[in-house]
Amino acid sequence: MDFRLKVFQSVARNQSFSRAAKEMLISQPAVTKHIQELESQYKVRLFERTIGTHIRITPEGELLLSHADRIVEAFRQLDYEMNLLTARFTGELRIGASSTISQYVLPPVLAAFLKKFPELKLTVLSGNTAQIEKALLDKKIDLGIIEGQSRNPNLRYSLYMKDVLVAITSVKSILAQHDEVTLDELRHLPLVLREHGSGTLEVFDEELKKHHLKLSDMSVLMQLGSTESIKLFLENSDSIGIVSIRSVNKDIFNGRFKVIEIKDFDIFRTFQFIELQGKSGGVIEDFIRFVRRQSL
């Protein structure tokens, strides 16, 4: 019954039997069978087909979904607490992390966590800040770790660590002759930035506003969906990228990129844990404590 409810949740979230099958790693006929068994048990229709293969959840399905969310969470918490009685740290934790964090901050922390608690099932979803917040609100993940300054009233935010954004260019670029530029000079230099929805872009935009500037005032050459894409682009162009210092520490040490200081323009930000309001405790709380200790 626990698994059947998870299949139902997946169909409801994805509004698709085929996408639910991929997410649950089972066949589409198996998904259909689980939904049909639930409909037979309660003698109601849970989904209606609309145009083509699209489906829509029924009012009866909405009612079941509200209970399924609580039941599946209760099962997860029960599994966690029962295993604590035998000093076993087990269960499931679904984490979502914005791309800078998932690429450059979390991997060694997750490796240490799984080494200590090998029986825990841990999955990580990567995306930009907006995507991670939506995944948490849609209950596709249990915990998010984001960058930026977002504030959704349905989410609870708490500090993870501090970070700083820097301007970099390839050491092969003609712009590498600069050690420092003014903000006005930066306005006229080709910039490569992250995409809309990215926490990195959001923080850069907010800092510009403090200096009475907008993104449209800058010479934005390109916007890309990941820091690695920006770095590869910079290596093949005469341009400047705005990225987390954590993403280029090794590259600077190895002589691949150079930091260009921006006079009187410091871009500080924080990485934050995000949870649904009213949800806490259990494996989520223990994971947050572990990650914070690892980052000291």
Side-chain angles (χ1 to χ4, degrees):
M1 185 61 177
D2 179 27
F3 184 74
R4 189 174 298 161
L5 287 177
K6 288 181 179 178
V7 172
F8 167 71
Q9 285 179 309
S10 181
V11 174
R13 280 196 308 266
N14 290 289
Q15 297 181 30
S16 165
F17 281 69
S18 60
R19 286 196 292 269
K22 291 179 181 178
E23 183 175 87
M24 299 300 296
L25 302 178
I26 59 177
S27 68
Q28 188 168 332
V31 170
T32 301
K33 183 173 183 292
H34 282 300
I35 300 302
Q36 288 174 342
E37 287 173 349
L38 282 171
E39 290 179 327
S40 176
Q41 179 177 351
Y42 294 114
K43 298 178 174 57
V44 296
R45 287 191 65 81
L46 299 174
F47 299 99
E48 292 177 348
R49 291 195 178 275
T50 57
I51 301 173
T53 59
H54 295 285
I55 62 171
R56 180 175 59 214
I57 192 168
T58 64
E60 294 84 356
E62 291 281 6
L63 176 62
L64 178 60
L65 182 61
S66 67
H67 286 281
D69 288 342
R70 293 195 295 270
I71 291 168
V72 170
E73 177 57 31
F75 268 118
R76 186 181 292 124
Q77 185 67 18
L78 173 64
D79 187 52
Y80 169 73
E81 292 184 13
M82 289 299 291
N83 281 293
L84 282 185
L85 298 176
T86 55
R88 293 170 61 225
F89 199 97
T90 66
E92 179 183 8
L93 180 60
R94 301 168 302 167
I95 298 169
S98 54
S99 52
T100 298
I101 298 169
S102 65
Q103 281 186 284
Y104 307 109
V105 178
L106 273 187
V109 176
L110 296 179
F113 187 76
L114 287 177
K115 186 176 182 180
K116 187 171 184 180
F117 307 110
E119 295 183 69
L120 182 79
K121 181 182 178 182
L122 186 65
T123 58
V124 181
L125 171 72
S126 180
N128 63 35
T129 293
Q131 291 167 337
I132 296 305
E133 287 184 324
K134 186 177 186 304
L136 186 58
L137 291 168
D138 291 343
K139 300 180 181 178
K140 292 184 177 181
I141 57 175
D142 305 305
L143 173 70
I145 311 176
I146 62 166
E147 54 208 71
Q149 301 174 349
S150 296
R151 276 293 180 271
N152 187 303
N154 297 310
L155 301 176
R156 183 170 69 253
Y157 298 76
S158 58
L159 178 66
Y160 173 21
M161 63 166 58
K162 296 181 179 179
D163 186 39
V164 60
L165 300 182
V166 293
I168 64 166
T169 192
S170 168
V171 294
K172 298 179 291 185
S173 167
I174 60 173
L175 298 178
Q177 62 184 300
H178 297 286
D179 293 320
E180 181 183 78
V181 295
T182 65
L183 188 54
D184 187 60
E185 289 171 332
L186 183 68
R187 286 179 54 199
H188 303 288
L189 296 176
L191 286 181
V192 185
L193 304 175
R194 285 290 305 277
E195 80 288 1
H196 289 287
S198 157
T200 299
L201 184 68
E202 179 189 5
V203 171
F204 181 59
D205 186 28
E206 287 299 317
E207 193 61 35
L208 286 176
K209 289 176 182 176
K210 295 177 185 178
H211 294 262
H212 311 291
L213 291 171
K214 304 185 294 293
L215 283 173
S216 57
D217 296 320
M218 313 303 288
S219 301
V220 180
L221 176 63
M222 180 72 68
Q223 287 184 257
L224 295 169
S226 72
T227 299
E228 287 302 308
S229 297
I230 289 176
K231 288 157 68 173
L232 286 171
F233 188 94
L234 292 178
E235 284 194 303
N236 294 278
S237 70
D238 293 314
S239 54
I240 290 175
I242 305 295
V243 299
S244 166
I245 187 64
R246 297 177 186 276
S247 68
V248 288
N249 274 325
K250 290 182 180 179
D251 298 305
I252 293 168
F253 180 79
N254 292 331
R256 182 181 174 194
F257 294 109
K258 172 184 178 178
V259 171
I260 298 176
E261 301 291 339
I262 308 173
K263 188 175 181 181
D264 300 322
F265 189 77
D266 297 315
I267 319 172
F268 298 105
R269 66 173 175 180
T270 58
F271 295 151
Q272 301 176 81
F273 294 108
I274 55 171
E275 304 169 72
L276 289 172
Q277 289 285 8
K279 270 192 74 174
S280 191
V283 65
I284 295 175
E285 187 176 316
D286 287 335
F287 177 79
I288 289 174
R289 279 200 298 265
F290 181 91
V291 170
R292 281 181 172 148
R293 284 198 302 268
Q294 289 288 310
S295 303
L296 291 177

